[in-house]
Amino acid sequence: MVKIKNIVVLTGAGISAESGIRTFRDTGGLWEEHSIEKVATPEAYAADPELVLGFYNARRAQLSTVEPNPAHHALGRLEKGLLDGGGYLTLVTQNVDDLHERGGADNVIHMHGELLSQWCRACDSKFKSRDDFTTSSVCPKCDHIGRVRPDIVWFGEMPYSMGAIETAVNNCDLFVSIGTSGAVYPAAGFVQLARGMRKQTLEINLEPSEGSSFFHDSRLGKAGELVPIWVDEILEALT
Ligand code: APR
C-alpha cells in the first residue's frame, strides 16, 4: 500500500461546533438568526456598516471565550507528524476563528478570511486586532477614519489562496473534508477537483454533507471523537 504522506484537509464550522461556536446551517445555526444579505455581503456593508461591523465584533469577542477541541489538537498533531515523516499537511479552513492555530497548526489557509484580521480599504493594508470596530475606527497604518472592514470573504467575493489550494490538492495523496455542509462553493467543489485528479477522498461529518456521494469514504459522527482516531491511524501507518 502507498503510504499517505501528503494530505489536504478542508474544515468547516462543524469542527468548531464542539468548542461552542455556532455553525451556519444546522438547527440553531447563525443563518437562522441573521440574514446573509444583511451581514455577509459587500452590499450589506455599504448599506449598514455599523450592523455588519457589530455582527463581526460579537463573533470576534466570542473567540476569547472558547477553546480548541480534540479535533483541532489532532490536526495540529497531524501537521507535525507528517512533517517529521517527510510529508505535508495543507490545512484549509472556511472558518474565520483561530482555533486551528490554537490547536497547534502552524500553517493554516483561511480561505474565507479571519476574524482577527482587519482590512483598510483606504491603504489596502491588513492588520491583526482583537478590538471592536466602528465606522469611526482609525487605520493604524494610514490613519484614515472609517475605512477598516473585517478581513472576511463575503458572499460574492473571491475566496483567498485558490491557486495554492488547487496546487496542494494536485500534490496530495488524500483529500479530507471535516465538518462542512458542502453547501458553499468553491470549497464544496474541492472534492470533485480531487476526484478529477484521481485522489483518495474522505469525509468526516456529523451527517452526510451535500456532496457526500463524491467521497470514497464517509465517517459519520462528531469531529472531536472521529478526527483524533483518524489522525492516529494516519500517523501509525507512517511509522
Ligand atoms: N462534528 C462534525 N460535524 C459537525 C459537527 C460536529 N460536532 N457539528 C455539526 N457538524 C456538521 C453539520 O452536520 C454540517 O454538515 O458541520 C456542518 C456545518 O455546515 P455549515 O453550517 O453549512 O458550515 P460550513 O460548511 O462551514 O459553511 C460554509 O458558509 O456561510 C458560509 O462563510 C460561511 O464558511 C462558511 C461557509
Side-chain angles (χ1 to χ4, degrees), residues 105-117:
D106 289 330
N107 296 301
V108 185
I109 297 178
H110 282 272
M111 65 177 290
H112 290 171
E114 293 175 73
L115 285 167
L116 296 180
S117 177

Side-chain angles (χ1 to χ4, degrees), residues 4-11 15 71-93 100-101 103-109 164-165 167-169 171-178 227 230-231 234-235 238:
I4 294 173
K5 285 185 154 187
N6 293 313
I7 301 178
V8 175
V9 168
L10 169 71
T11 65
I15 199 166
H72 298 107
H73 287 296
L75 292 179
R77 210 153 43 78
L78 181 65
E79 183 184 81
K80 308 278 173 300
L82 287 177
L83 269 181
D84 289 347
Y88 196 75
L89 171 69
T90 302
L91 180 51
V92 181
T93 188
H100 281 308
E101 286 86 349
D106 289 330
N107 296 301
V108 185
I109 297 178
I165 296 168
T167 302
V169 172
N171 292 332
C172 79
D173 306 311
L174 174 67
F175 170 79
V176 186
S177 172
I178 303 172
V227 175
W230 169 71
V231 166
I234 292 288
L235 294 180
L238 260 187

